[in-house]
């Protein structure tokens, strides 16, 4: 059984000319323990998708199953209880209570749900998040990264089936963001909880996830592993959005042979009609600058930017 199943999910806001289709027929499944990144530009529908999966927003049509339970066939009261006990949320805003210390912030949602905190579970999550020595500190006594860890610990203390994260590292500086990416992946692997992680950062999605869901204008454009998404984009949008790409007009002569700039090149694709126009995607790292006598194409370098380990 799939842990998460999203089936033909649609969400519309407004009416008449002001109507906006935030989600258009979105469908996918996730296994237990999978780390999935949902990526897209602003307004692509990724946060709406996350909110529907978490039961915070009701879809216009379609279904969401979590651990075999149809989320929107439940009453509002039952769905609220189910959500609290099976789904964790981490947002860009830490939303810590300033008057409570680290441990009190972590167990606060359990107390709201009339659950008695399991001290062993609290101690374990403090250790996993590296917060044991900070358990009596107030949020004002913590760094940004430590505050983020408290927010994550609070979402994980009752061991939810799924953790939903909406741009959780957006408020952190670059160095801390990189460190927290590694920490989140370690935590997810150690606890074996399914993560669904919304981000607009391509590099973040490629580095952290087992599966990437690419969205544009409310539609899922492609679902696959980071390697598949990067090396075999389904369309020009995915190719242009994930990584850097040169997208050129070409003509497919036959299987594995494409022409552009009046030269024929070997390629990875087949199944096109003879002489069919195609988009040719070339990654920058697949281009070598060589002496003219060894080259296949001629070009002009118009700018050079130093990036530390390489030049653009």
């Amino acid at each position: 059984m799939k842990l998460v199943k999203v089936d033909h999910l649609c969400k519309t806001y407004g009416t008449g000319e002001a109507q906006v289709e935030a989600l258009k027929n979105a469908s996918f499944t996730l296994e237990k323990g999978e780390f999935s990144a949902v990526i897209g530009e602003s307004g692509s529908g990724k946060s709406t998708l996350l909110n529907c999966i978490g039961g915070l927003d009701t879809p216009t049509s379609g279904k969401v199953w979590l651990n075999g339970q149809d989320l929107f066939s439940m009453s509002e009261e039952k769905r609220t209880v189910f959500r609290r006990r099976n789904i964790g949320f981490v947002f860009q805003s830490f939303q810590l209570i300033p008057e409570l210390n680290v441990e009190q912030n972590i167990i606060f949602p359990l107390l709201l749900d009339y659950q008695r905190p399991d001290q062993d579970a609290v101690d374990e999550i403090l250790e996993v998040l590296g917060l044991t020595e900070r358990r009596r500190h107030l949020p004002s006594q913590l760094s940004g990264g430590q505050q983020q860890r408290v927010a994550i610990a609070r979402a994980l203390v009752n061991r939810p089936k799924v953790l939903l994260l909406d741009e959780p590292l957006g408020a952190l500086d670059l160095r801390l963001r990189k460190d927290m990416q590694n920490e989140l992946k370690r935590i997810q692997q150690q606890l074996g909880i399914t993560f669904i992680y919304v981000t607009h950062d391509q590099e973040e999605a490629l580095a952290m996830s087992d599966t990437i869901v690419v969205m544009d204008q409310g539609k899922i454009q492609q679902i696959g592993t980071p390697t598949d998404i990067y090396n075999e984009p389904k369309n020009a949008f995915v190719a242009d959005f994930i990584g850097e790409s040169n997208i050129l007009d070409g003509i497919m002569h036959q299987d594995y042979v494409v022409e552009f700039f009046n030269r024929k090149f070997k390629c990875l694709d087949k199944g096109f009609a003879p002489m069919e126009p195609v988009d040719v995607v070339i990654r920058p790292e697949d281009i070598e600058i060589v002496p003219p006598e060894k080259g296949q194409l001629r070009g002009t370098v118009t700018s050079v930017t130093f990036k530390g380990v390489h030049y653009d």
Side-chain angles (χ1 to χ4, degrees):
M1 180 190 299
K2 302 291 185 180
L3 182 66
V4 178
K5 182 179 179 182
V6 175
D7 186 31
H8 296 92
L9 210 59
C10 298
K11 179 64 181 179
T12 302
Y13 295 103
T15 58
E17 293 183 0
Q19 185 170 289
V20 175
E21 289 185 277
L23 284 180
K24 303 174 185 177
N25 210 31
S27 298
F28 65 93
T29 60
L30 295 176
E31 303 281 356
K32 180 181 178 182
E34 194 168 352
F35 194 127
S36 178
V38 182
I39 188 168
E41 298 173 336
S42 296
S44 63
K46 53 189 187 294
S47 290
T48 301
L49 176 63
L50 198 76
N51 289 337
C52 287
I53 293 172
L56 297 178
D57 205 350
T58 303
T60 305
S61 62
K63 293 182 179 293
V64 175
W65 280 275
L66 175 59
N67 203 30
Q69 298 286 316
D70 184 347
L71 201 59
F72 294 102
S73 69
M74 304 175 184
S75 67
E76 183 66 35
E77 183 180 355
K78 185 177 179 181
R79 183 163 66 247
T80 299
V81 174
F82 181 85
R83 186 174 65 229
R84 284 178 179 171
R85 297 183 178 178
N86 292 277
I87 304 171
F89 295 90
V90 179
F91 300 101
Q92 185 171 342
S93 172
F94 305 144
Q95 298 177 327
L96 303 181
I97 300 172
E99 295 81 12
L100 302 183
N101 65 32
V102 166
E103 184 170 339
Q104 291 168 335
N105 264 284
I106 290 171
I107 66 173
F108 187 69
L110 299 178
L111 300 177
L112 282 180
D113 199 29
Y114 304 104
Q115 296 184 59
R116 184 176 180 178
D118 181 334
Q119 192 60 49
D120 289 340
V122 174
D123 291 343
E124 180 186 7
I125 206 69
L126 283 166
E127 183 177 352
V128 169
L129 272 296
L131 293 168
T132 302
E133 301 300 320
R134 302 281 181 173
R135 67 195 307 155
R136 306 300 178 205
H137 287 60
L138 296 173
S140 60
Q141 298 172 302
L142 304 176
S143 67
Q146 289 166 341
Q147 290 182 35
Q148 183 62 280
R149 289 169 190 249
V150 176
I152 295 167
R154 182 180 57 193
L156 290 173
V157 68
N158 66 335
R159 289 299 181 93
K161 297 287 191 300
V162 178
L163 183 65
L164 307 179
L165 306 100
D166 194 353
E167 303 275 6
L169 308 183
L172 304 181
D173 62 61
L174 181 60
R175 177 63 183 271
L176 190 52
R177 188 182 180 106
K178 296 287 186 183
D179 291 343
M180 283 304 300
Q181 286 175 14
N182 295 329
E183 280 297 294
L184 275 176
K185 187 63 178 176
R186 179 189 64 79
I187 292 163
Q188 188 265 338
Q189 291 174 339
Q190 185 170 343
L191 297 179
I193 294 173
T194 300
F195 277 29
I196 304 179
Y197 188 99
V198 162
T199 180
H200 64 273
D201 189 319
Q202 319 158 17
E203 184 180 337
E204 196 167 78
L206 291 169
M208 297 175 67
S209 59
D210 303 310
T211 305
I212 296 178
V213 179
V214 184
M215 298 191 68
D216 180 45
Q217 297 182 359
K219 293 182 179 180
I220 293 177
Q221 299 294 321
Q222 187 171 351
I223 302 173
T225 66
T227 303
D228 290 340
I229 295 288
Y230 188 83
N231 291 329
E232 293 293 329
K234 293 286 187 185
N235 54 44
F237 172 81
V238 177
D240 191 43
F241 186 72
I242 301 294
E244 299 291 336
S245 296
N246 302 283
I247 302 179
L248 311 172
D249 293 330
I251 297 173
M252 204 74 183
H253 280 258
Q254 62 190 62
D255 288 350
Y256 310 115
V257 178
V258 68
E259 177 187 337
F260 57 93
F261 290 145
N262 300 314
R263 295 289 301 269
K264 293 180 182 178
F265 295 86
K266 292 181 180 179
C267 65
L268 300 175
D269 294 291
K270 63 177 181 178
F272 293 91
M275 308 304 291
E276 181 177 348
V278 294
D279 289 327
V280 181
V281 178
I282 304 175
R283 299 291 188 185
E285 64 267 24
D286 293 327
I287 297 173
E288 293 184 54
I289 299 177
V290 298
E293 63 274 11
K294 295 182 179 179
Q296 295 171 289
L297 297 171
R298 287 178 175 266
T300 302
V301 177
T302 57
S303 67
V304 178
T305 304
F306 178 61
K307 291 292 186 72
V309 295
H310 69 278
Y311 288 89
D312 280 353

